[in-house]
Amino acid sequence: MSVVTHAGSRVLTRASGFFFERNGRLWLVTSRHVLFDEASDHHPDRIELELHVDAENLTRSLCWSMPLFRDGRAVWRQARDSGGDVDVAVLELDAEALPPEVQMRAFTPAHLQAAYDEVPVGSALLVVGFPLGFHDTLHHLPVVRQAAVASAFGVRFQGQGYFLTDARTHRGTSGAAVVMRSSDEALVASGLPWKLLGVHAGRMDMMPRDEKHDEVLGLNCTWYADVLLALTGERPPVVAAVAEPAVPAPP
């Protein structure tokens, strides 16, 4: 799904995200740097999601606004591990507050890939997102890029909590689900016949690199999706979403 960040009434960036459901609680998943990034001075105060409201007519949607702070404190969850900050964040949605006509499908813990040896190097993957914000603006649907596993799956590349993919990606794909087709009968019956392998974060470049003679590597960092189990564990509830029309925060 499209994730648009705002500072007051000003649009900042466009990124990607998806839903994850666990123990009856619904979460939005995206990259942490979409919500906050000190290095680029990126400080949004709310995000907007575009949600379908008609399973038969995909041209119908609504805009759903979510604040990123409550009482001066961030409402998203992020994590650190032995390698440092994990570039994944989750925000809880109040599912009961969503309009009843909203149509969505959410990944669950059953979609996570448990057996690492079932994902050999070179396995075909898909990255579902909004590169440069590009998408089907009539039907409000993302686009899909092909990818391949480019490092040993299950091994933390250079000690970080991600693996590498070989794919052509762009800004706006941050937070996209990285998936692999599954024949598991339960997942097929759920309407999401995919294994959720990770969350796309961004392109990786080799430094130092001779920018005159050496092309970029074309590799990307994908954070392992099992971090979602840590991020969606039992904690005090977070702020609920607010339906449009939202009142922009003062600049």
PDB file of all heavy atoms in Angstrom, residues 52-61 103 138-140:
ATOM      1  N   HIS A  52      -8.771   0.509  -0.151  1.00  0.00           N
ATOM      2  CA  HIS A  52      -9.897   0.139  -0.999  1.00  0.00           C
ATOM      3  C   HIS A  52     -11.157  -0.027  -0.156  1.00  0.00           C
ATOM      4  O   HIS A  52     -11.099  -0.499   0.990  1.00  0.00           O
ATOM      5  CB  HIS A  52      -9.597  -1.165  -1.738  1.00  0.00           C
ATOM      6  CG  HIS A  52      -8.635  -1.007  -2.866  1.00  0.00           C
ATOM      7  ND1 HIS A  52      -7.303  -1.316  -2.750  1.00  0.00           N
ATOM      8  CD2 HIS A  52      -8.806  -0.547  -4.131  1.00  0.00           C
ATOM      9  CE1 HIS A  52      -6.701  -1.070  -3.900  1.00  0.00           C
ATOM     10  NE2 HIS A  52      -7.576  -0.599  -4.758  1.00  0.00           N
ATOM     11  N   VAL A  53     -12.293   0.335  -0.739  1.00  0.00           N
ATOM     12  CA  VAL A  53     -13.569   0.208  -0.032  1.00  0.00           C
ATOM     13  C   VAL A  53     -14.574  -0.628  -0.818  1.00  0.00           C
ATOM     14  O   VAL A  53     -15.730  -0.760  -0.403  1.00  0.00           O
ATOM     15  CB  VAL A  53     -14.180   1.587   0.280  1.00  0.00           C
ATOM     16  CG1 VAL A  53     -13.294   2.353   1.245  1.00  0.00           C
ATOM     17  CG2 VAL A  53     -14.403   2.398  -1.001  1.00  0.00           C
ATOM     18  N   ASP A  54     -14.148  -1.192  -1.948  1.00  0.00           N
ATOM     19  CA  ASP A  54     -15.065  -1.984  -2.770  1.00  0.00           C
ATOM     20  C   ASP A  54     -14.250  -3.072  -3.460  1.00  0.00           C
ATOM     21  O   ASP A  54     -13.393  -2.773  -4.299  1.00  0.00           O
ATOM     22  CB  ASP A  54     -15.760  -1.082  -3.801  1.00  0.00           C
ATOM     23  CG  ASP A  54     -16.878  -1.775  -4.542  1.00  0.00           C
ATOM     24  OD1 ASP A  54     -16.797  -3.006  -4.741  1.00  0.00           O
ATOM     25  OD2 ASP A  54     -17.835  -1.088  -4.952  1.00  0.00           O
ATOM     26  N   ALA A  55     -14.517  -4.333  -3.119  1.00  0.00           N
ATOM     27  CA  ALA A  55     -13.764  -5.439  -3.691  1.00  0.00           C
ATOM     28  C   ALA A  55     -14.055  -5.635  -5.174  1.00  0.00           C
ATOM     29  O   ALA A  55     -13.238  -6.214  -5.906  1.00  0.00           O
ATOM     30  CB  ALA A  55     -14.069  -6.729  -2.929  1.00  0.00           C
ATOM     31  N   GLU A  56     -15.211  -5.157  -5.647  1.00  0.00           N
ATOM     32  CA  GLU A  56     -15.585  -5.321  -7.041  1.00  0.00           C
ATOM     33  C   GLU A  56     -15.160  -4.135  -7.890  1.00  0.00           C
ATOM     34  O   GLU A  56     -14.860  -4.283  -9.070  1.00  0.00           O
ATOM     35  CB  GLU A  56     -17.108  -5.508  -7.149  1.00  0.00           C
ATOM     36  CG  GLU A  56     -17.644  -6.692  -6.361  1.00  0.00           C
ATOM     37  CD  GLU A  56     -17.058  -8.013  -6.833  1.00  0.00           C
ATOM     38  OE1 GLU A  56     -16.798  -8.138  -8.048  1.00  0.00           O
ATOM     39  OE2 GLU A  56     -16.856  -8.907  -5.995  1.00  0.00           O
ATOM     40  N   ASN A  57     -15.128  -2.958  -7.296  1.00  0.00           N
ATOM     41  CA  ASN A  57     -14.775  -1.737  -8.026  1.00  0.00           C
ATOM     42  C   ASN A  57     -13.534  -1.132  -7.369  1.00  0.00           C
ATOM     43  O   ASN A  57     -13.623  -0.373  -6.406  1.00  0.00           O
ATOM     44  CB  ASN A  57     -15.940  -0.745  -7.999  1.00  0.00           C
ATOM     45  CG  ASN A  57     -15.642   0.516  -8.804  1.00  0.00           C
ATOM     46  OD1 ASN A  57     -14.559   0.667  -9.382  1.00  0.00           O
ATOM     47  ND2 ASN A  57     -16.587   1.429  -8.831  1.00  0.00           N
ATOM     48  N   LEU A  58     -12.378  -1.452  -7.914  1.00  0.00           N
ATOM     49  CA  LEU A  58     -11.111  -1.028  -7.307  1.00  0.00           C
ATOM     50  C   LEU A  58     -10.819   0.449  -7.488  1.00  0.00           C
ATOM     51  O   LEU A  58      -9.841   0.961  -6.940  1.00  0.00           O
ATOM     52  CB  LEU A  58      -9.956  -1.858  -7.870  1.00  0.00           C
ATOM     53  CG  LEU A  58     -10.007  -3.360  -7.567  1.00  0.00           C
ATOM     54  CD1 LEU A  58      -8.797  -4.063  -8.161  1.00  0.00           C
ATOM     55  CD2 LEU A  58     -10.084  -3.615  -6.071  1.00  0.00           C
ATOM     56  N   THR A  59     -11.640   1.140  -8.250  1.00  0.00           N
ATOM     57  CA  THR A  59     -11.433   2.577  -8.394  1.00  0.00           C
ATOM     58  C   THR A  59     -11.899   3.333  -7.158  1.00  0.00           C
ATOM     59  O   THR A  59     -11.604   4.526  -7.023  1.00  0.00           O
ATOM     60  CB  THR A  59     -12.181   3.127  -9.625  1.00  0.00           C
ATOM     61  OG1 THR A  59     -13.597   2.980  -9.435  1.00  0.00           O
ATOM     62  CG2 THR A  59     -11.756   2.397 -10.888  1.00  0.00           C
ATOM     63  N   ARG A  60     -12.630   2.684  -6.262  1.00  0.00           N
ATOM     64  CA  ARG A  60     -13.156   3.342  -5.065  1.00  0.00           C
ATOM     65  C   ARG A  60     -12.194   3.136  -3.900  1.00  0.00           C
ATOM     66  O   ARG A  60     -11.792   2.011  -3.591  1.00  0.00           O
ATOM     67  CB  ARG A  60     -14.538   2.796  -4.700  1.00  0.00           C
ATOM     68  CG  ARG A  60     -15.607   3.053  -5.750  1.00  0.00           C
ATOM     69  CD  ARG A  60     -16.967   2.628  -5.229  1.00  0.00           C
ATOM     70  NE  ARG A  60     -17.300   3.383  -4.018  1.00  0.00           N
ATOM     71  CZ  ARG A  60     -17.889   2.844  -2.953  1.00  0.00           C
ATOM     72  NH1 ARG A  60     -18.169   1.554  -2.936  1.00  0.00           N
ATOM     73  NH2 ARG A  60     -18.177   3.583  -1.894  1.00  0.00           N
ATOM     74  N   SER A  61     -11.814   4.231  -3.266  1.00  0.00           N
ATOM     75  CA  SER A  61     -10.905   4.159  -2.130  1.00  0.00           C
ATOM     76  C   SER A  61     -11.156   5.340  -1.212  1.00  0.00           C
ATOM     77  O   SER A  61     -11.892   6.270  -1.558  1.00  0.00           O
ATOM     78  CB  SER A  61      -9.441   4.153  -2.592  1.00  0.00           C
ATOM     79  OG  SER A  61      -9.091   5.412  -3.149  1.00  0.00           O
ATOM     80  N   GLN A 103     -11.578  -2.803   2.448  1.00  0.00           N
ATOM     81  CA  GLN A 103     -11.170  -4.130   1.997  1.00  0.00           C
ATOM     82  C   GLN A 103      -9.654  -4.248   2.132  1.00  0.00           C
ATOM     83  O   GLN A 103      -8.919  -3.442   1.582  1.00  0.00           O
ATOM     84  CB  GLN A 103     -11.570  -4.344   0.529  1.00  0.00           C
ATOM     85  CG  GLN A 103     -13.041  -4.123   0.246  1.00  0.00           C
ATOM     86  CD  GLN A 103     -13.902  -5.221   0.826  1.00  0.00           C
ATOM     87  OE1 GLN A 103     -13.560  -6.405   0.765  1.00  0.00           O
ATOM     88  NE2 GLN A 103     -15.047  -4.830   1.389  1.00  0.00           N
ATOM     89  N   LEU A 138      -5.698   4.765 -11.146  1.00  0.00           N
ATOM     90  CA  LEU A 138      -7.138   4.559 -11.297  1.00  0.00           C
ATOM     91  C   LEU A 138      -7.648   3.505 -10.318  1.00  0.00           C
ATOM     92  O   LEU A 138      -8.656   3.702  -9.641  1.00  0.00           O
ATOM     93  CB  LEU A 138      -7.468   4.143 -12.733  1.00  0.00           C
ATOM     94  CG  LEU A 138      -8.935   3.791 -13.006  1.00  0.00           C
ATOM     95  CD1 LEU A 138      -9.834   4.999 -12.752  1.00  0.00           C
ATOM     96  CD2 LEU A 138      -9.108   3.275 -14.436  1.00  0.00           C
ATOM     97  N   HIS A 139      -6.909   2.392 -10.225  1.00  0.00           N
ATOM     98  CA  HIS A 139      -7.342   1.290  -9.375  1.00  0.00           C
ATOM     99  C   HIS A 139      -6.609   1.238  -8.035  1.00  0.00           C
ATOM    100  O   HIS A 139      -6.850   0.347  -7.227  1.00  0.00           O
ATOM    101  CB  HIS A 139      -7.154  -0.043 -10.107  1.00  0.00           C
ATOM    102  CG  HIS A 139      -7.933  -0.129 -11.393  1.00  0.00           C
ATOM    103  ND1 HIS A 139      -7.360   0.139 -12.626  1.00  0.00           N
ATOM    104  CD2 HIS A 139      -9.232  -0.406 -11.625  1.00  0.00           C
ATOM    105  CE1 HIS A 139      -8.283   0.002 -13.572  1.00  0.00           C
ATOM    106  NE2 HIS A 139      -9.426  -0.328 -12.994  1.00  0.00           N
ATOM    107  N   HIS A 140      -5.684   2.190  -7.819  1.00  0.00           N
ATOM    108  CA  HIS A 140      -4.993   2.325  -6.535  1.00  0.00           C
ATOM    109  C   HIS A 140      -4.216   1.048  -6.181  1.00  0.00           C
ATOM    110  O   HIS A 140      -4.259   0.568  -5.053  1.00  0.00           O
ATOM    111  CB  HIS A 140      -5.991   2.673  -5.428  1.00  0.00           C
ATOM    112  CG  HIS A 140      -6.951   3.747  -5.813  1.00  0.00           C
ATOM    113  ND1 HIS A 140      -6.572   5.067  -5.950  1.00  0.00           N
ATOM    114  CD2 HIS A 140      -8.268   3.700  -6.139  1.00  0.00           C
ATOM    115  CE1 HIS A 140      -7.623   5.793  -6.320  1.00  0.00           C
ATOM    116  NE2 HIS A 140      -8.656   4.989  -6.444  1.00  0.00           N
TER     117      HIS A 140
END
